[in-house]
Amino acid sequence: MSDKTEKTEPRLSVFKTYKLYVGGKFPRSESGRVYEVTDTKGNWLANAPQSSRKDARDAVVAARKAFGGWSGATAYNRGQVLYRVAEMLEGRKDQFVREVAEAEGLSKAKAAAVVDAAIDRWVWYAGWTDKIAQVVGGANPVAGPYFNLSSPEPTGVVALLAPQDSSFLGLVSVLAPVIATGNTAVVIASEKAPLPALSLGEVLATSDVPGGVVNILSGRTAEIAAPLAAHQDVNAIDLAGADAELAKDLEIAAADNLKRVLRPQPVDHTATPGIDRMTAFLETKTVWHPTGALGAAGSSY
């Protein structure tokens, strides 16, 4: 018998192919373009899809198609879905810790704290889905024999420019409140660090989030944001990830069909969020009803 040990060839790593997330599917960019994503030291991490204007339009179509079902779901059901996202992220935490550490130049411990905070943020907003209406709606005192009731309704399709300096926690902080209240979203990931956002698409696809509720694009922020701001079927835009010059241009473009615009503002993403980002994309519907008609019908009022 030979005592020679068998030599094995070194194994080649399987590199991940990052794709867009549109309409519940994972297309490559319609343009076929990609761009290099590097870590904070300039080391290559991956090639990310460079979205085109058509990708942006496709994402809006998907978001509009999903809006009726998502906004019509019960608030309790939406809370369950958001909580499921947190569950799935918990199971893939190691992957996101690595991606956040590489994207933001953080130590493993600091990246783990960021990912934990992002998971907790999903849970926080999940708990608000069936409570926000009680806070911002209700019965209004009026002079006259009327019931006057106000209730919040989602604005519609919201375009989100994810923060550039917080690839994951910042992204979750602007996305979760939008869909918690029944809106659908088209997200432009951080241009320099899009990989955690693109991986989030894989989590959403397996978390009971209906296809089209969230659509994630990567690429040149200004190139993708311009057609979204001017799109007639986009109802609102969050400029969190825009610099001052780009924000001004997009706000002017958004005025063409009176979009709701949330201007960029300094935010500490690690702080406990308030309800401002939920109420920013809610409309108030007020209903008047004569009390006499209800009384005549045998109402207990």
Side-chain angles (χ1 to χ4, degrees), residues 25-180:
K25 299 179 181 180
F26 297 93
R28 302 175 188 271
S29 172
E30 169 272 338
S31 67
R33 299 176 301 172
V34 297
Y35 71 104
E36 290 189 357
V37 177
T38 61
D39 63 17
T40 54
K41 297 180 180 179
N43 299 311
W44 181 87
L45 294 175
N47 289 334
Q50 188 169 331
S51 302
S52 67
R53 290 173 175 263
K54 186 177 186 305
D55 292 319
R57 293 195 298 269
D58 289 345
V60 173
V61 170
R64 176 58 62 193
K65 184 177 180 181
F67 176 70
W70 184 244
S71 61
T74 65
Y76 178 73
N77 177 246
R78 287 199 298 270
Q80 289 179 308
V81 172
L82 265 65
Y83 186 84
R84 178 64 173 164
V85 175
E87 287 183 349
M88 298 298 289
L89 282 172
E90 190 78 32
R92 296 179 60 169
K93 186 159 64 174
D94 289 346
Q95 173 195 347
F96 282 92
V97 168
R98 174 179 54 80
E99 290 184 339
V100 170
E102 293 173 340
E104 301 181 23
L106 301 177
S107 66
K108 184 177 180 180
K110 289 183 178 179
V114 168
V115 174
D116 285 342
I119 294 171
D120 293 346
R121 189 67 40 91
W122 280 109
V123 176
W124 196 86
Y125 279 112
W128 267 103
T129 57
D130 59 356
K131 300 174 183 65
I132 188 65
Q134 302 170 56
V135 174
V136 299
N140 308 310
V142 294
Y146 301 99
F147 292 110
N148 184 272
L149 306 173
S150 293
S151 61
E153 292 187 344
T155 298
V157 175
V158 181
L160 299 171
L161 279 64
Q164 299 293 330
D165 60 341
S166 182
S167 64
F168 192 53
L169 178 56
L171 166 70
V172 171
S173 297
V174 299
L175 173 60
V178 166
I179 65 171

Side-chain angles (χ1 to χ4, degrees), residues 238-240 262-269 276-277:
D238 184 341
L239 301 174
L262 183 60
R263 296 182 175 92
Q265 50 195 304
V267 177
D268 179 6
H269 297 298
D276 290 351
R277 286 197 172 272

Side-chain angles (χ1 to χ4, degrees), residues 188-271:
I188 304 175
S190 167
E191 182 174 333
K192 293 182 179 180
L195 304 187
L198 296 176
S199 290
L200 178 62
E202 299 171 2
V203 172
L204 297 174
T206 54
S207 302
D208 304 325
V209 179
V213 170
V214 178
N215 305 274
I216 302 175
L217 306 174
S218 60
R220 308 307 180 196
T221 300
E223 180 181 347
I224 311 169
L228 290 176
H231 201 296
Q232 297 295 302
D233 206 24
V234 171
N235 304 109
I237 185 167
D238 184 341
L239 301 174
D243 59 32
E245 183 177 354
L246 178 58
K248 180 180 178 181
D249 292 341
L250 296 178
E251 189 168 355
I252 292 172
D256 190 44
N257 71 330
L258 300 177
K259 289 181 179 63
R260 177 72 66 89
V261 176
L262 183 60
R263 296 182 175 92
Q265 50 195 304
V267 177
D268 179 6
H269 297 298
T270 62

Side-chain angles (χ1 to χ4, degrees), residues 12 16 24 60 63 94 133 138 176 234 275 282:
L12 296 177
K16 181 174 180 177
V60 173
D94 289 346
V234 171
I275 65 172
L282 285 174

